[in-house]
PDB file of all heavy atoms in Angstrom:
ATOM      1  N   ARG A   9      15.274  16.157  54.267  1.00 91.00           N
ATOM      2  CA  ARG A   9      15.467  17.536  53.831  1.00 91.00           C
ATOM      3  C   ARG A   9      15.886  17.566  52.349  1.00 91.00           C
ATOM      4  O   ARG A   9      16.248  16.558  51.761  1.00 91.00           O
ATOM      5  CB  ARG A   9      16.519  18.220  54.698  1.00 91.00           C
ATOM      6  CG  ARG A   9      16.100  18.290  56.170  1.00 91.00           C
ATOM      7  CD  ARG A   9      17.122  18.981  57.043  1.00 91.00           C
ATOM      8  NE  ARG A   9      17.251  20.399  56.733  1.00 91.00           N
ATOM      9  CZ  ARG A   9      17.989  21.249  57.458  1.00 91.00           C
ATOM     10  NH1 ARG A   9      18.626  20.820  58.531  1.00 91.00           N
ATOM     11  NH2 ARG A   9      18.070  22.528  57.112  1.00 91.00           N
ATOM     12  N   ARG A  10      15.828  18.760  51.747  1.00 90.00           N
ATOM     13  CA  ARG A  10      16.094  18.886  50.312  1.00 90.00           C
ATOM     14  C   ARG A  10      17.594  18.974  50.038  1.00 90.00           C
ATOM     15  O   ARG A  10      18.373  19.345  50.904  1.00 90.00           O
ATOM     16  CB  ARG A  10      15.399  20.137  49.760  1.00 90.00           C
ATOM     17  CG  ARG A  10      13.889  20.163  49.955  1.00 90.00           C
ATOM     18  CD  ARG A  10      13.309  21.489  49.484  1.00 90.00           C
ATOM     19  NE  ARG A  10      13.924  22.623  50.181  1.00 90.00           N
ATOM     20  CZ  ARG A  10      13.712  23.908  49.886  1.00 90.00           C
ATOM     21  NH1 ARG A  10      12.887  24.201  48.883  1.00 90.00           N
ATOM     22  NH2 ARG A  10      14.301  24.861  50.551  1.00 90.00           N
ATOM     23  N   LEU A  11      17.939  18.634  48.802  1.00 86.00           N
ATOM     24  CA  LEU A  11      19.335  18.785  48.397  1.00 86.00           C
ATOM     25  C   LEU A  11      19.789  20.234  48.495  1.00 86.00           C
ATOM     26  O   LEU A  11      20.968  20.519  48.724  1.00 86.00           O
ATOM     27  CB  LEU A  11      19.524  18.291  46.959  1.00 86.00           C
ATOM     28  CG  LEU A  11      19.693  16.779  46.755  1.00 86.00           C
ATOM     29  CD1 LEU A  11      19.804  16.463  45.280  1.00 86.00           C
ATOM     30  CD2 LEU A  11      20.931  16.281  47.484  1.00 86.00           C
ATOM     31  N   LEU A  12      18.847  21.165  48.286  1.00 85.00           N
ATOM     32  CA  LEU A  12      19.186  22.580  48.406  1.00 85.00           C
ATOM     33  C   LEU A  12      19.799  22.899  49.764  1.00 85.00           C
ATOM     34  O   LEU A  12      20.668  23.773  49.871  1.00 85.00           O
ATOM     35  CB  LEU A  12      17.933  23.443  48.196  1.00 85.00           C
ATOM     36  CG  LEU A  12      17.430  23.594  46.754  1.00 85.00           C
ATOM     37  CD1 LEU A  12      16.106  24.343  46.735  1.00 85.00           C
ATOM     38  CD2 LEU A  12      18.459  24.325  45.901  1.00 85.00           C
ATOM     39  N   ASP A  13      19.361  22.177  50.794  1.00 85.00           N
ATOM     40  CA  ASP A  13      19.920  22.418  52.121  1.00 85.00           C
ATOM     41  C   ASP A  13      21.380  21.969  52.190  1.00 85.00           C
ATOM     42  O   ASP A  13      22.193  22.576  52.898  1.00 85.00           O
ATOM     43  CB  ASP A  13      19.084  21.683  53.177  1.00 85.00           C
ATOM     44  CG  ASP A  13      17.634  22.174  53.217  1.00 85.00           C
ATOM     45  OD1 ASP A  13      17.443  23.396  53.071  1.00 85.00           O
ATOM     46  OD2 ASP A  13      16.722  21.348  53.355  1.00 85.00           O
ATOM     47  N   LEU A  14      21.715  20.907  51.429  1.00 82.00           N
ATOM     48  CA  LEU A  14      23.112  20.487  51.371  1.00 82.00           C
ATOM     49  C   LEU A  14      23.969  21.515  50.632  1.00 82.00           C
ATOM     50  O   LEU A  14      25.109  21.771  50.998  1.00 82.00           O
ATOM     51  CB  LEU A  14      23.238  19.135  50.665  1.00 82.00           C
ATOM     52  CG  LEU A  14      22.930  17.875  51.484  1.00 82.00           C
ATOM     53  CD1 LEU A  14      23.237  16.642  50.651  1.00 82.00           C
ATOM     54  CD2 LEU A  14      23.711  17.848  52.786  1.00 82.00           C
ATOM     55  N   PHE A  15      23.384  22.097  49.570  1.00 79.00           N
ATOM     56  CA  PHE A  15      24.112  23.131  48.832  1.00 79.00           C
ATOM     57  C   PHE A  15      24.449  24.290  49.766  1.00 79.00           C
ATOM     58  O   PHE A  15      25.531  24.884  49.678  1.00 79.00           O
ATOM     59  CB  PHE A  15      23.293  23.644  47.651  1.00 79.00           C
ATOM     60  CG  PHE A  15      22.972  22.601  46.614  1.00 79.00           C
ATOM     61  CD1 PHE A  15      21.852  22.724  45.812  1.00 79.00           C
ATOM     62  CD2 PHE A  15      23.791  21.503  46.448  1.00 79.00           C
ATOM     63  CE1 PHE A  15      21.558  21.767  44.861  1.00 79.00           C
ATOM     64  CE2 PHE A  15      23.511  20.534  45.496  1.00 79.00           C
ATOM     65  CZ  PHE A  15      22.380  20.661  44.708  1.00 79.00           C
ATOM     66  N   ALA A  16      23.531  24.615  50.654  1.00 79.00           N
ATOM     67  CA  ALA A  16      23.768  25.715  51.597  1.00 79.00           C
ATOM     68  C   ALA A  16      24.911  25.373  52.541  1.00 79.00           C
ATOM     69  O   ALA A  16      25.749  26.215  52.862  1.00 79.00           O
ATOM     70  CB  ALA A  16      22.494  26.012  52.388  1.00 79.00           C
ATOM     71  N   VAL A  17      24.971  24.112  52.957  1.00 79.00           N
ATOM     72  CA  VAL A  17      26.068  23.686  53.826  1.00 79.00           C
ATOM     73  C   VAL A  17      27.397  23.806  53.088  1.00 79.00           C
ATOM     74  O   VAL A  17      28.407  24.241  53.637  1.00 79.00           O
ATOM     75  CB  VAL A  17      25.847  22.229  54.291  1.00 79.00           C
ATOM     76  CG1 VAL A  17      27.078  21.729  55.056  1.00 79.00           C
ATOM     77  CG2 VAL A  17      24.607  22.138  55.167  1.00 79.00           C
ATOM     78  N   GLY A  18      27.393  23.427  51.820  1.00 70.00           N
ATOM     79  CA  GLY A  18      28.617  23.478  51.025  1.00 70.00           C
ATOM     80  C   GLY A  18      29.029  24.867  50.626  1.00 70.00           C
ATOM     81  O   GLY A  18      30.137  25.060  50.095  1.00 70.00           O
ATOM     82  N   GLN A  19      28.166  25.865  50.854  1.00 68.00           N
ATOM     83  CA  GLN A  19      28.471  27.273  50.551  1.00 68.00           C
ATOM     84  C   GLN A  19      28.917  27.465  49.097  1.00 68.00           C
ATOM     85  O   GLN A  19      29.827  28.218  48.797  1.00 68.00           O
ATOM     86  CB  GLN A  19      29.547  27.799  51.505  1.00 68.00           C
ATOM     87  CG  GLN A  19      29.127  27.766  52.954  1.00 68.00           C
ATOM     88  CD  GLN A  19      30.227  28.233  53.887  1.00 68.00           C
ATOM     89  OE1 GLN A  19      31.240  28.767  53.458  1.00 68.00           O
ATOM     90  NE2 GLN A  19      30.034  28.042  55.185  1.00 68.00           N
ATOM     91  N   GLY A  20      28.243  26.742  48.197  1.00 67.00           N
ATOM     92  CA  GLY A  20      28.524  26.904  46.770  1.00 67.00           C
ATOM     93  C   GLY A  20      29.722  26.141  46.269  1.00 67.00           C
ATOM     94  O   GLY A  20      30.070  26.226  45.090  1.00 67.00           O
ATOM     95  N   ASP A  21      30.383  25.347  47.135  1.00 73.00           N
ATOM     96  CA  ASP A  21      31.579  24.609  46.729  1.00 73.00           C
ATOM     97  C   ASP A  21      31.302  23.125  46.520  1.00 73.00           C
ATOM     98  O   ASP A  21      32.229  22.326  46.405  1.00 73.00           O
ATOM     99  CB  ASP A  21      32.673  24.762  47.794  1.00 73.00           C
ATOM    100  CG  ASP A  21      33.156  26.200  47.902  1.00 73.00           C
ATOM    101  OD1 ASP A  21      33.253  26.856  46.853  1.00 73.00           O
ATOM    102  OD2 ASP A  21      33.412  26.660  49.029  1.00 73.00           O
ATOM    103  N   ILE A  22      30.020  22.733  46.470  1.00 79.00           N
ATOM    104  CA  ILE A  22      29.658  21.330  46.292  1.00 79.00           C
ATOM    105  C   ILE A  22      28.688  21.209  45.125  1.00 79.00           C
ATOM    106  O   ILE A  22      27.751  21.998  44.986  1.00 79.00           O
ATOM    107  CB  ILE A  22      29.001  20.756  47.569  1.00 79.00           C
ATOM    108  CG1 ILE A  22      30.055  20.575  48.665  1.00 79.00           C
ATOM    109  CG2 ILE A  22      28.308  19.431  47.290  1.00 79.00           C
ATOM    110  CD1 ILE A  22      29.496  20.062  49.960  1.00 79.00           C
ATOM    111  N   SER A  23      28.936  20.219  44.270  1.00 80.00           N
ATOM    112  CA  SER A  23      27.988  19.871  43.210  1.00 80.00           C
ATOM    113  C   SER A  23      27.575  18.417  43.403  1.00 80.00           C
ATOM    114  O   SER A  23      28.434  17.535  43.514  1.00 80.00           O
ATOM    115  CB  SER A  23      28.621  20.039  41.822  1.00 80.00           C
ATOM    116  OG  SER A  23      28.877  21.388  41.545  1.00 80.00           O
ATOM    117  N   VAL A  24      26.277  18.155  43.481  1.00 85.00           N
ATOM    118  CA  VAL A  24      25.763  16.789  43.548  1.00 85.00           C
ATOM    119  C   VAL A  24      25.502  16.351  42.111  1.00 85.00           C
ATOM    120  O   VAL A  24      24.504  16.724  41.503  1.00 85.00           O
ATOM    121  CB  VAL A  24      24.472  16.703  44.393  1.00 85.00           C
ATOM    122  CG1 VAL A  24      23.971  15.257  44.441  1.00 85.00           C
ATOM    123  CG2 VAL A  24      24.719  17.217  45.798  1.00 85.00           C
ATOM    124  N   VAL A  25      26.419  15.579  41.556  1.00 84.00           N
ATOM    125  CA  VAL A  25      26.325  15.216  40.140  1.00 84.00           C
ATOM    126  C   VAL A  25      25.438  13.995  39.931  1.00 84.00           C
ATOM    127  O   VAL A  25      24.956  13.755  38.816  1.00 84.00           O
ATOM    128  CB  VAL A  25      27.720  14.982  39.533  1.00 84.00           C
ATOM    129  CG1 VAL A  25      28.527  16.258  39.570  1.00 84.00           C
ATOM    130  CG2 VAL A  25      28.464  13.861  40.246  1.00 84.00           C
ATOM    131  N   ALA A  26      25.211  13.219  40.978  1.00 86.00           N
ATOM    132  CA  ALA A  26      24.313  12.060  40.858  1.00 86.00           C
ATOM    133  C   ALA A  26      23.880  11.629  42.249  1.00 86.00           C
ATOM    134  O   ALA A  26      24.550  11.914  43.253  1.00 86.00           O
ATOM    135  CB  ALA A  26      24.985  10.909  40.130  1.00 86.00           C
ATOM    136  N   LEU A  27      22.759  10.948  42.307  1.00 88.00           N
ATOM    137  CA  LEU A  27      22.249  10.381  43.561  1.00 88.00           C
ATOM    138  C   LEU A  27      21.822   8.947  43.265  1.00 88.00           C
ATOM    139  O   LEU A  27      21.039   8.692  42.329  1.00 88.00           O
ATOM    140  CB  LEU A  27      21.083  11.207  44.101  1.00 88.00           C
ATOM    141  CG  LEU A  27      20.498  10.797  45.460  1.00 88.00           C
ATOM    142  CD1 LEU A  27      19.969  12.023  46.201  1.00 88.00           C
ATOM    143  CD2 LEU A  27      19.370   9.786  45.304  1.00 88.00           C
ATOM    144  N   VAL A  28      22.373   8.016  44.039  1.00 88.00           N
ATOM    145  CA  VAL A  28      22.031   6.591  43.874  1.00 88.00           C
ATOM    146  C   VAL A  28      21.089   6.200  45.004  1.00 88.00           C
ATOM    147  O   VAL A  28      21.442   6.310  46.187  1.00 88.00           O
ATOM    148  CB  VAL A  28      23.293   5.709  43.885  1.00 88.00           C
ATOM    149  CG1 VAL A  28      22.900   4.239  43.712  1.00 88.00           C
ATOM    150  CG2 VAL A  28      24.262   6.140  42.794  1.00 88.00           C
ATOM    151  N   ARG A  29      19.901   5.752  44.631  1.00 90.00           N
ATOM    152  CA  ARG A  29      18.877   5.354  45.607  1.00 90.00           C
ATOM    153  C   ARG A  29      18.443   3.924  45.270  1.00 90.00           C
ATOM    154  O   ARG A  29      17.786   3.693  44.262  1.00 90.00           O
ATOM    155  CB  ARG A  29      17.689   6.311  45.563  1.00 90.00           C
ATOM    156  CG  ARG A  29      16.571   5.976  46.540  1.00 90.00           C
ATOM    157  CD  ARG A  29      15.555   7.110  46.600  1.00 90.00           C
ATOM    158  NE  ARG A  29      16.122   8.302  47.243  1.00 90.00           N
ATOM    159  CZ  ARG A  29      15.543   9.495  47.249  1.00 90.00           C
ATOM    160  NH1 ARG A  29      14.388   9.675  46.606  1.00 90.00           N
ATOM    161  NH2 ARG A  29      16.129  10.521  47.860  1.00 90.00           N
ATOM    162  N   ARG A  30      18.914   3.007  46.098  1.00 84.00           N
ATOM    163  CA  ARG A  30      18.702   1.584  45.824  1.00 84.00           C
ATOM    164  C   ARG A  30      19.255   1.227  44.442  1.00 84.00           C
ATOM    165  O   ARG A  30      20.441   1.353  44.213  1.00 84.00           O
ATOM    166  CB  ARG A  30      17.217   1.219  46.001  1.00 84.00           C
ATOM    167  CG  ARG A  30      16.770   1.316  47.500  1.00 84.00           C
ATOM    168  CD  ARG A  30      15.308   1.000  47.667  1.00 84.00           C
ATOM    169  NE  ARG A  30      14.446   2.069  47.168  1.00 84.00           N
ATOM    170  CZ  ARG A  30      14.138   3.150  47.869  1.00 84.00           C
ATOM    171  NH1 ARG A  30      14.610   3.317  49.084  1.00 84.00           N
ATOM    172  NH2 ARG A  30      13.350   4.068  47.367  1.00 84.00           N
ATOM    173  N   LYS A  31      18.403   0.847  43.489  1.00 80.00           N
ATOM    174  CA  LYS A  31      18.894   0.465  42.163  1.00 80.00           C
ATOM    175  C   LYS A  31      18.828   1.611  41.153  1.00 80.00           C
ATOM    176  O   LYS A  31      19.187   1.430  39.995  1.00 80.00           O
ATOM    177  CB  LYS A  31      18.096  -0.728  41.638  1.00 80.00           C
ATOM    178  CG  LYS A  31      18.273  -2.006  42.456  1.00 80.00           C
ATOM    179  CD  LYS A  31      17.496  -3.156  41.820  1.00 80.00           C
ATOM    180  CE  LYS A  31      17.698  -4.428  42.626  1.00 80.00           C
ATOM    181  NZ  LYS A  31      16.953  -5.581  42.032  1.00 80.00           N
ATOM    182  N   ASP A  32      18.360   2.753  41.589  1.00 83.00           N
ATOM    183  CA  ASP A  32      18.188   3.885  40.673  1.00 83.00           C
ATOM    184  C   ASP A  32      19.362   4.860  40.796  1.00 83.00           C
ATOM    185  O   ASP A  32      19.809   5.170  41.903  1.00 83.00           O
ATOM    186  CB  ASP A  32      16.885   4.628  40.976  1.00 83.00           C
ATOM    187  CG  ASP A  32      15.660   3.761  40.743  1.00 83.00           C
ATOM    188  OD1 ASP A  32      15.733   2.918  39.833  1.00 83.00           O
ATOM    189  OD2 ASP A  32      14.662   3.911  41.475  1.00 83.00           O
ATOM    190  N   ARG A  33      19.833   5.322  39.646  1.00 83.00           N
ATOM    191  CA  ARG A  33      20.869   6.364  39.606  1.00 83.00           C
ATOM    192  C   ARG A  33      20.241   7.610  38.991  1.00 83.00           C
ATOM    193  O   ARG A  33      19.837   7.595  37.821  1.00 83.00           O
ATOM    194  CB  ARG A  33      22.072   5.923  38.783  1.00 83.00           C
ATOM    195  CG  ARG A  33      23.189   6.976  38.696  1.00 83.00           C
ATOM    196  CD  ARG A  33      24.304   6.486  37.777  1.00 83.00           C
ATOM    197  NE  ARG A  33      25.014   5.383  38.374  1.00 83.00           N
ATOM    198  CZ  ARG A  33      26.131   5.506  39.087  1.00 83.00           C
ATOM    199  NH1 ARG A  33      26.659   6.702  39.285  1.00 83.00           N
ATOM    200  NH2 ARG A  33      26.731   4.459  39.594  1.00 83.00           N
ATOM    201  N   ILE A  34      20.149   8.691  39.763  1.00 87.00           N
ATOM    202  CA  ILE A  34      19.550   9.944  39.311  1.00 87.00           C
ATOM    203  C   ILE A  34      20.672  10.939  39.038  1.00 87.00           C
ATOM    204  O   ILE A  34      21.350  11.384  39.969  1.00 87.00           O
ATOM    205  CB  ILE A  34      18.575  10.510  40.372  1.00 87.00           C
ATOM    206  CG1 ILE A  34      17.539   9.465  40.760  1.00 87.00           C
ATOM    207  CG2 ILE A  34      17.905  11.781  39.861  1.00 87.00           C
ATOM    208  CD1 ILE A  34      16.697   9.849  41.966  1.00 87.00           C
ATOM    209  N   LEU A  35      20.875  11.247  37.764  1.00 85.00           N
ATOM    210  CA  LEU A  35      21.938  12.177  37.396  1.00 85.00           C
ATOM    211  C   LEU A  35      21.443  13.619  37.476  1.00 85.00           C
ATOM    212  O   LEU A  35      20.279  13.899  37.158  1.00 85.00           O
ATOM    213  CB  LEU A  35      22.434  11.883  35.982  1.00 85.00           C
ATOM    214  CG  LEU A  35      23.061  10.499  35.749  1.00 85.00           C
ATOM    215  CD1 LEU A  35      23.495  10.356  34.310  1.00 85.00           C
ATOM    216  CD2 LEU A  35      24.235  10.266  36.686  1.00 85.00           C
TER     217      LEU A  35
END
């Protein structure tokens, strides 16, 4: 599922500042 779905769970109180996938860091 998309990160947007996580934002909905957090009800606007969560910020995903980075995502680490194996050796990649996506800011």
Side-chain angles (χ1 to χ4, degrees):
R9 298 181 67 173
R10 301 175 303 173
L11 278 177
L12 285 174
D13 298 321
L14 280 185
F15 298 154
V17 173
Q19 299 178 11
D21 295 322
I22 288 178
S23 293
V24 180
V25 297
L27 184 149
V28 180
R29 180 170 291 169
R30 292 178 287 277
K31 295 183 179 180
D32 296 327
R33 180 184 291 266
I34 306 170
L35 298 180

